[in-house]
Amino acid sequence: MSNKPQKNLKILILRFSSIGDIVLTTPVVRTIKTQLKGVQLHYCTKKSYTSILSSNPYIDKIHTLDGSLNDLITELKQEQFDFIVDLHHNLRTLIIKSRLGISSKSFNKLNREKWLFVNLKVNKMPNVHIVDRYMETVKPLGVEMDTFGLDYFIPDKDEVENSWLPETHQNSYVAFAIGGQFATKKLPVKRIIEVCDRINKPVILLGGKEDVEVGEQIASFFEKREGNKPYEEGLKELGKKTIVFNACGKFNLNQSASVLKNARAVFTHDTGLMHIAAAFQKKIYSIWGNTTPYFGMYPYRTEFVVYENNKLKCRPCSKIGYKKCPKGHFKCMNDIVFDFWIP
């Protein structure tokens, strides 16, 4: 295809997972829809992630992978697409592109560069955000990056009303997304408490059902703190005014996004909620364990602060994460120095 803007095309975007990666594709969606006259834009993802895209006004139709890849390919063939934008670039998308037999452009995952960084600690990663690398796939269509950031659209039914929150949190609060796909991307409980200690504002903890127990430990610590011993020797009683509401498991993804949208600031690990917060232009305090912002997935086009331990020779130890620290010391999280204070 030429680099001149095309008209009346039917385009398919492929990105099956996960939350953050899909949110990071939204500038591609928006720029295609707003820059190509008469374009029909379809998006293909896993069924479990459709809520991220279902309210996006730039998408005309969503196709879902929910079982048989052959059934999905049969469905896609009937659409007679003109072009495929492959933002996942794995075996499934290779099969889809081969079977559909039309023009396509694939996202460069930089697997060689990531391998060198993880295994040999040789950093050959380009100083380019992954969103801008995604945008390379639509250059053949004549589409260029605009001046906006990420998008996230919340359906009206999922907008969290003030009355859904404790009275203590209805005027102003800081959100802390305590979850993460892997344990090595999450702070230990005592360190999350330490971070909350430095936030002299009501705090809402966000996460899935798998984070409920940890959230209860944190909220319980602050509830019982007055007159009790610190959680662990060495933790100072700095945050007696910190009031923590454990919302983990209480809200669906879109409702959690609504909480982020209304937060004064957001603390988060390297996880999908970080990118959703960036879509709402929140100030983000991003906390990194075994992964690194050098992979190009730091908060996009919003104010942010990075907290990480750059003194370790073993980091990054993975491009995604582990169930536990391979070295056993977990210094990437245990030894991070936090120097902020939110009055």
Side-chain angles (χ1 to χ4, degrees), residues 227-335:
N228 289 347
K229 293 182 179 180
Y231 176 83
E232 186 173 293
E233 201 66 36
L235 279 179
K236 298 179 181 179
E237 291 197 37
L238 298 174
K240 290 187 178 181
K241 293 183 180 179
T242 301
I243 304 171
V244 175
F245 170 48
N246 178 25
C248 295
K250 291 182 171 64
F251 296 128
N252 64 31
L253 181 60
N254 284 329
Q255 291 167 341
S256 295
S258 179
V259 172
L260 292 174
K261 183 177 71 170
N262 295 314
R264 175 179 172 180
V266 175
F267 286 77
T268 177
H269 300 129
D270 171 22
T271 186
L273 291 185
M274 176 176 74
H275 302 299
I276 294 175
F280 296 121
Q281 300 291 297
K282 297 285 109 177
K283 180 171 182 179
I284 296 173
Y285 297 80
S286 62
I287 303 164
W288 299 76
N290 77 289
T291 56
T292 170
Y294 284 113
F295 288 147
M297 297 183 71
Y298 46 88
Y300 189 68
R301 292 193 176 182
T302 194
E303 182 182 359
F304 68 96
V305 178
V306 170
Y307 285 101
E308 60 181 337
N309 183 356
N310 282 322
K311 298 179 180 180
L312 297 174
K313 293 182 179 180
C314 58
R315 180 176 174 267
C317 63
S318 167
K319 63 183 181 181
I320 47 175
Y322 295 109
K323 292 182 179 179
K324 61 181 181 179
C325 172
K327 298 287 187 180
H329 52 65
F330 203 27
K331 290 183 178 180
C332 60
M333 281 299 196
N334 284 325
D335 292 353

Side-chain angles (χ1 to χ4, degrees), residues 60 64 67 79 87-89 132-133 164 234 247 278-279 320 335 340:
D60 295 300
T64 58
E79 297 288 351
L87 300 180
H88 206 129
H89 200 183
D132 298 307
R133 286 165 46 210
W164 299 7
I320 47 175
D335 292 353
F340 69 91

Side-chain angles (χ1 to χ4, degrees), residues 179 206-212 248-251:
L206 292 174
K209 293 180 180 179
E210 67 278 7
D211 303 305
V212 171
C248 295
K250 291 182 171 64
F251 296 128

